[in-house]
Amino acid sequence: MNYSRQRQIILDTLEEYAVHPSADQLYDKVHEKDKSISKGTLYRNLNQLADLGIIKKIDGLDNSAHFDHNIHEHYHFICNKCKKIFDIEKEDIQIPEIKHNEGFIITNRDIILKGICSECIKNSSDKV
């Protein structure tokens, strides 16, 4: 992939705005830096960067894909109240091995945990 100033702005913004943004959320931040970057350019670059493994595309969090600059293997936690997405290190969770393989090959695991984050618990009268 050739160097592109716009692509670098997208990567830098994704790293600075490390809240697992959707493309639309990221577009707002990117557009603040460079108004010449269109949504089409952003979407095209995000998909290319994800296909090349430079960033991670996360599906299944809600109705839109989200993007993560952190590409080492880790899992995600979504707070049911504030909807923030948190990284959880792979070493912090024990995932059981699959005992029966139906003839498929597992290439990666995208595990999403949901619950209430510590900040929402602290700020809520509803205790878990």
Side-chain angles (χ1 to χ4, degrees), residues 15 25 47 65 72 85 115:
E15 188 169 346
Q25 291 169 324
N47 286 318
H72 79 276
I85 303 166

Side-chain angles (χ1 to χ4, degrees), residues 28-112:
D28 292 339
K29 296 293 184 182
V30 166
H31 202 68
E32 290 174 9
K33 293 181 176 187
D34 186 339
K35 299 213 183 300
S36 73
I37 298 175
S38 68
K39 276 193 178 184
T41 298
L42 176 73
Y43 279 93
R44 188 173 44 261
N45 277 281
L46 287 173
N47 286 318
Q48 287 175 349
L49 292 164
D51 289 345
L52 292 170
I54 296 170
I55 64 172
K56 188 172 185 175
K57 183 176 183 178
I58 309 164
D59 291 311
L61 300 181
D62 56 25
N63 293 334
S64 59
H66 289 252
F67 297 89
D68 193 349
H69 75 285
N70 180 359
I71 59 170
H72 79 276
E73 190 174 354
H74 65 282
Y75 307 126
H76 293 102
F77 174 88
I78 303 171
C79 178
N80 291 331
K81 288 193 175 208
C82 67
K83 305 301 181 202
K84 287 182 186 171
I85 303 166
F86 301 87
D87 286 345
I88 298 181
E89 294 303 318
K90 180 180 155 185
E91 299 77 28
D92 293 340
I93 297 179
Q94 292 183 1
I95 305 298
E97 291 299 317
I98 296 175
K99 297 201 184 290
H100 181 66
N101 184 332
E102 294 291 334
F104 45 78
I105 298 170
I106 298 170
T107 57
N108 66 331
R109 298 179 194 197
D110 289 326
I111 296 174
I112 298 170

